[in-house]
Amino acid sequence: MNGESAPAGPVPEDLLRTLVGDHPERLVHVHEVPARRAVLGAWPEWVDPTLLGSLLASGIEAPWSHQVEVAQAAHAGHHVVVSTGTASGKSLGYHLPMLSDIIAGATAPNGRGATALYLSPTKALAADQLSRIDRLALPAVRPATYDGDTPTDERRWIRDHANLVLTNPDLLHHSLLPGHERWSSFLRALRYVVVDECHVYKGVFGAHMAAVLRRLRRVAARYRSEPTFVFASATVADPEEHASRLLGMPVTPVTRDGSPRASMTFALWEPPLLVDETGQPSRVSTITETGELLAGCVREHVQTVAFARSRAGVEVVARIAKERVPVTDEHRVAAYRGGYLPEERRELERSLRAKELLGLAATNALELGVDVSGLDAVLLAGWPGTLSSLWQQAGRAGRSGERSLAVLVASDDPLDTFVVHHPEAIFGRGIEATVVDPDNPHVLGPHLAAAAAELPVTEADVEIFGPQTRVLLDALVARGILKKRPRGWFWGREDRPADHLSLRGAGEPVRIIETRTGRVVGTVDDSSAHSQVHTGAVHLHQGQTWVITELDLDDHAAFAVRGDPGWTTQAQSVSDFQIVHETEHEEWGPLRCSFGHVTVRHQVTSFLRRLPGGEVLGEHPLDLPPRSLATKAVWWTMPVEDLTAAGVAEDGIPGAAHAAEHAAIGMLPLFATADRWDIGGVSTALHPDTGLPTILIYDGHPGGAGFAERGYRRIRPWLSATRDAIDSCECPEGCPSCIQSPKCGNGNEPLDKRGAVALLDLVLRHADPGAGGAQ
């Protein structure tokens, strides 16, 4: 046996029957994920006896096969990536060689011996790893977390004495690499680098991580160390390719999961379609439905996590669940999301592990932020963006040896509507390929400047950073950022480049400050501030309602007063785009599909006040500056006469194009490792750069993130699925399940459902499936 036993969980069929009640039509499909039997391995002979004794005492009698495979590869000095299921014990695979070598080196003459670096995307996951290692009680291992919360007086001790440092990529970028001289003894002895949850490093964040790891490799080489890198992920389509692109070197994959798992019942659930008093169709809110289901699970004493996609959604799910459970159980329901203060998050994590909490509504901060498994059930409020995230979240359910339940509650979105009625889109295919572009010049250029500030960049480093390196270095010299000397490229300024470069591309977070006391209530990302905490916005935090009285962009602060005004707010915006450079295109008869560089301009111009029933009380103007985004996009053009012949009159083009754009954005995550919120779109009946009706879908990240390019490569199946999702929706004129968008800045006007189907029929009729851009 590998792990601990637990009390029996509920029978999924009985729980589902209770949740369904008198509305069986909501249960669209039930899929049984089969059980998996354990495959055990033998402890490697080189494992330190003290470590082995601690593991045996903890109840781990024998390792699983994948743990042994990872351990042997890493111990032999091979870079390795392990991609097995959630809660499959991946950490033991790298703990065996890492801790054994640290223990063996503890008696070295210099007292430092071997060292190791553990990198996770969140502080909480590093804290979990520390707790797990501390429980082994190994005297020779001196672990420590080192992050933004670490007191200054502890940092020197960690640099000089810790032999296992657990941190995150941000601190590696901002502190360790720029100050590598202070870490010289640690780096000289660096034997292992663990990159946990490596599937998170995709898109722009992945490009940043790839650059940081290359910077780490060259700084380590400066101290004559060549550490072995171990990557770990529960969900990544091609782990070998993904990890190799991140590291820039070949990586050995371990993908055969030897851990046991009981079967899981996976239900697809669709809230009912109702008709309001005006005769318009609308579904019961996914958030409301998920809150009801969470309450139902809590009433049955089933420990459940409900994942919602937005911070506001998390707060509402928790509030609804609290209202629906007995008063005596209200304290057993809570919300968990980013933006909470650290002490709030730690207490929630402790309560969940201790089983004091029965129902928790969470964003994916819990998916990645803390190692919690063994829950009875998981609810997903809407498609989480990717199949990778879906299985990562669903994998939280499943006590040792006991069956579990996962429920995907469809939201009003074309992709959600499509997948619950096409279960083969979930259960019949592998997870998406992860997009990482280490050569993204918007990312690599600033990192080359940071690298030059750490150590002069030499000709030998060009191979480490890739083919774009020389061009970018020359550009940095031309802009006066670097200086070219015979020995390489040097940083020649007073400041530090790392101080001006955020790995997460979010800028400085905006603090939400209580006006009366000056207390910081929470934070929001800089990119979300214009739409979420503008002056007059109604904001939810820990179930409490706040009204924003002022947004100070210069000070990165939003001032708020507590209170519920009785309405919600929704930001309105305008967008336009300029085609900078078309890099590829396909001619489809009179139509043209293109991929290339664009600049998108976006401005929040006003906000609506809405009553709980959806009625608009009024629109209020805002004076916020526009934002420009240089990115990559896929776009296609259609002549007016061809649209007219297809049944889309000239005055109907704006509504048809706008509806097709919304639905295409909603469906792209099925074909690229993206979330709907990673993607933007603009449509126009006449664009000045093309002279034609144009629909454009773009990456919502500077320089692009690979999502639009993946859409261009798979344009035909993508738009075919988009057309089917619109046409099969049961609503007469269009609804959030097909063509309405939750993030439309124009209030979902104008939209034409029938026109969108006709427009997409025209595109698909002309698209050549054999052409390179229309596969």
Side-chain angles (χ1 to χ4, degrees):
M1 176 180 172
N2 189 320
E4 300 175 357
S5 62
V11 178
E13 292 90 341
D14 293 344
L15 180 57
L16 261 183
R17 198 175 300 116
T18 301
L19 295 175
V20 167
D22 298 328
H23 302 281
E25 71 282 356
R26 299 182 182 188
L27 193 58
V28 179
H29 181 80
V30 178
H31 178 84
E32 198 72 15
V33 180
R36 183 178 62 229
R37 298 182 63 183
V39 180
L40 295 175
W43 294 109
E45 58 183 18
W46 46 260
V47 174
D48 179 81
T50 310
L51 171 60
L52 182 56
S54 294
L55 293 170
L56 292 171
S58 72
I60 303 177
E61 297 171 8
W64 292 317
S65 57
H66 66 275
Q67 294 170 329
V68 176
E69 195 176 347
V70 172
Q72 295 285 25
H75 184 257
H78 303 303
H79 306 307
V80 62
V81 56
V82 53
S83 180
T84 54
T86 303
S88 61
K90 291 179 288 294
S91 57
L92 181 63
Y94 53 77
H95 281 171
L96 291 176
M98 180 177 74
L99 298 178
S100 291
D101 281 11
I102 288 174
I103 294 168
T107 57
N110 64 5
R112 196 65 180 255
T115 63
L117 187 65
Y118 170 89
L119 301 173
S120 71
T122 64
K123 298 176 185 177
L125 194 55
D128 273 359
Q129 282 282 320
L130 177 64
S131 175
R132 186 175 301 179
I133 291 167
D134 281 343
R135 286 197 298 271
L136 294 174
L138 302 167
V141 179
R142 300 184 296 277
T145 55
Y146 191 102
D147 54 40
D149 298 332
T150 305
T152 304
D153 56 345
E154 290 184 21
R155 295 190 175 203
R156 178 185 292 273
W157 183 92
I158 293 171
R159 290 194 299 265
D160 294 342
H161 301 289
N163 47 25
L164 171 55
V165 174
L166 303 103
T167 186
N168 52 65
D170 309 87
L171 190 130
L172 180 63
H173 161 65
H174 286 291
S175 180
L176 192 154
L177 290 174
H180 60 84
E181 295 93 346
R182 299 195 302 273
W183 289 85
S184 57
S185 66
F186 179 88
L187 290 167
R188 244 180 230 107
L190 186 60
R191 189 76 55 84
Y192 296 99
V193 178
V194 175
V195 182
D196 206 356
E197 302 289 356
C198 69
H199 63 277
V200 175
Y201 306 115
K202 62 187 180 186
V204 171
F205 192 20
H208 280 294
M209 187 61 173
V212 168
L213 292 179
R214 284 157 175 76
R215 287 164 53 197
L216 174 61
R217 284 170 48 201
R218 67 191 289 270
V219 166
R222 155 71 177 80
Y223 296 97
R224 296 183 173 83
S225 67
E226 295 183 12
T228 299
F229 285 79
V230 181
F231 296 82
S233 170
T235 46
V236 62
D238 188 340
E240 180 180 7
E241 180 184 0
H242 179 59
S244 297
R245 288 178 71 82
L246 286 174
L247 184 59
M249 300 175 74
V251 176
T252 301
V254 174
T255 57
R256 214 173 288 173
D257 196 333
S259 66
R261 183 175 180 89
S263 63
M264 171 189 284
T265 298
F266 205 126
L268 304 183
W269 187 288
E270 186 172 43
L273 189 66
L274 305 177
V275 178
D276 61 24
E277 59 274 10
T278 66
Q280 292 298 312
S282 64
R283 292 198 184 277
V284 172
S285 161
T286 310
I287 295 300
T288 301
E289 192 89 342
T290 304
E292 295 270 11
L293 291 172
L294 182 59
C297 291
V298 171
R299 287 195 297 268
E300 296 297 313
H301 293 92
V302 173
Q303 192 179 38
T304 305
V305 166
F307 286 106
R309 295 179 54 191
S310 70
R311 294 180 175 186
V314 163
E315 299 284 357
V316 175
V317 167
R319 186 178 67 191
I320 290 171
K322 283 187 175 185
E323 291 171 352
R324 305 293 197 276
V325 300
V327 175
T328 53
D329 282 338
E330 283 185 5
H331 69 286
R332 307 195 72 179
V333 178
Y336 181 107
R337 61 171 176 80
Y340 285 2
L341 300 177
E343 53 270 25
E344 291 179 298
R345 295 198 303 271
R346 298 295 86 79
E347 176 57 24
L348 288 168
E349 292 158 11
R350 184 203 64 77
S351 298
L352 188 65
R353 288 196 199 93
K355 310 296 182 184
E356 295 169 9
L357 279 177
L358 275 179
L360 189 72
T363 59
N364 66 355
L366 182 66
E367 174 192 335
L368 301 169
V370 57
D371 188 10
V372 174
S373 57
L375 302 167
D376 297 318
V378 167
L379 307 173
L380 293 86
W383 178 257
T386 64
L387 277 167
S388 171
S389 290
L390 180 135
W391 290 111
Q392 185 86 3
Q393 293 174 12
R396 292 295 181 193
R399 299 192 189 195
S400 177
E402 299 297 334
R403 297 173 60 198
S404 58
L405 175 68
V407 181
L408 171 62
V409 184
S411 64
D412 279 347
D413 183 278
L415 179 50
D416 288 51
T417 303
F418 183 86
V419 296
V420 296
H421 290 283
H422 296 80
E424 69 278 4
I426 296 177
F427 306 115
R429 59 194 289 259
I431 58 177
E432 310 89 344
T434 305
V435 179
V436 177
D437 179 12
D439 298 321
N440 183 333
H442 293 264
V443 174
L444 182 56
H447 279 283
L448 288 172
E454 292 152 9
L455 295 167
V457 176
T458 65
E459 290 288 344
D461 295 327
V462 173
E463 184 177 349
I464 292 177
F465 287 105
Q468 294 281 339
T469 303
R470 196 177 303 280
V471 173
L472 293 171
L473 288 171
D474 290 343
L476 291 168
V477 171
R479 291 166 56 194
I481 296 173
L482 297 184
K483 294 182 179 179
K484 179 71 168 71
R485 297 288 184 264
R487 289 176 42 240
W489 290 264
F490 288 71
W491 177 255
R493 295 168 55 168
E494 295 289 330
D495 56 347
R496 299 192 326 166
D499 292 340
H500 308 292
L501 176 60
S502 169
L503 298 189
R504 316 217 179 210
E508 184 179 340
V510 173
R511 296 161 295 140
I512 302 170
I513 300 172
E514 185 176 19
T515 302
R516 184 174 59 85
T517 63
R519 176 173 66 99
V520 176
V521 176
T523 62
V524 297
D525 295 337
D526 175 65
S527 59
S528 305
H530 285 213
S531 58
Q532 290 189 14
V533 290
H534 56 76
T535 301
V538 176
H539 183 75
L540 277 174
H541 182 86
Q542 276 283 36
Q544 299 172 354
T545 304
W546 299 76
V547 178
I548 307 299
T549 58
E550 180 190 358
L551 173 60
D552 187 336
L553 294 173
D554 293 331
D555 194 33
H556 296 278
F559 298 91
V561 295
R562 186 172 164 184
D564 188 350
W567 61 74
T568 60
T569 54
Q570 180 182 7
Q572 303 290 285
S573 61
V574 295
S575 299
D576 58 44
F577 67 93
Q578 176 186 357
I579 296 172
V580 177
H581 175 63
E582 179 191 72
T583 55
E584 296 184 53
H585 77 273
E586 290 290 337
E587 298 285 355
W588 298 339
L591 281 64
R592 183 183 181 100
C593 179
S594 305
F595 170 74
H597 299 263
V598 299
T599 298
V600 180
R601 186 175 175 273
H602 182 83
Q603 184 175 21
V604 174
T605 56
S606 64
F607 68 94
L608 303 179
R609 289 188 300 136
R610 291 183 182 272
L611 291 173
E615 303 92 330
V616 176
L617 290 175
E619 183 172 1
H620 305 270
L622 291 169
D623 184 19
L624 290 168
R627 292 182 171 220
S628 291
L629 175 69
T631 185
K632 293 178 182 176
V634 53
W635 65 93
W636 61 95
T637 59
M638 305 143 289
V640 173
E641 56 271 22
D642 289 88
L643 285 168
T644 302
V648 183
E650 189 166 355
D651 60 357
I653 292 175
H658 193 197
E661 169 218 323
H662 279 184
I665 291 171
M667 292 303 294
L668 182 55
L670 199 60
F671 300 90
T673 312
D675 186 283
R676 181 174 189 147
W677 301 87
D678 291 328
I679 310 159
V682 188
S683 56
T684 176
L686 177 65
H687 193 272
D689 290 342
T690 65
L692 293 167
T694 305
I695 298 175
L696 177 137
I697 312 295
Y698 63 88
D699 293 339
H701 299 273
F707 310 133
E709 182 174 7
R710 186 60 60 94
Y712 176 74
R713 303 292 173 211
R714 304 200 65 197
I715 189 81
R716 186 175 179 83
W718 168 31
L719 295 187
S720 180
T722 301
R723 185 257 179 224
D724 290 347
I726 301 172
D727 189 53
S728 62
C729 185
E730 59 198 280
C731 72
E733 299 294 336
C735 69
S737 294
C738 56
I739 61 173
Q740 293 179 7
S741 169
K743 58 174 186 168
C744 180
N746 298 317
N748 284 297
E749 292 290 342
L751 292 175
D752 182 348
K753 177 178 178 177
R754 284 185 290 273
V757 172
L759 181 152
L760 290 168
D761 279 340
L762 170 69
V763 174
L764 292 166
R765 197 160 52 243
H766 284 287
D768 176 10
Q775 297 172 2

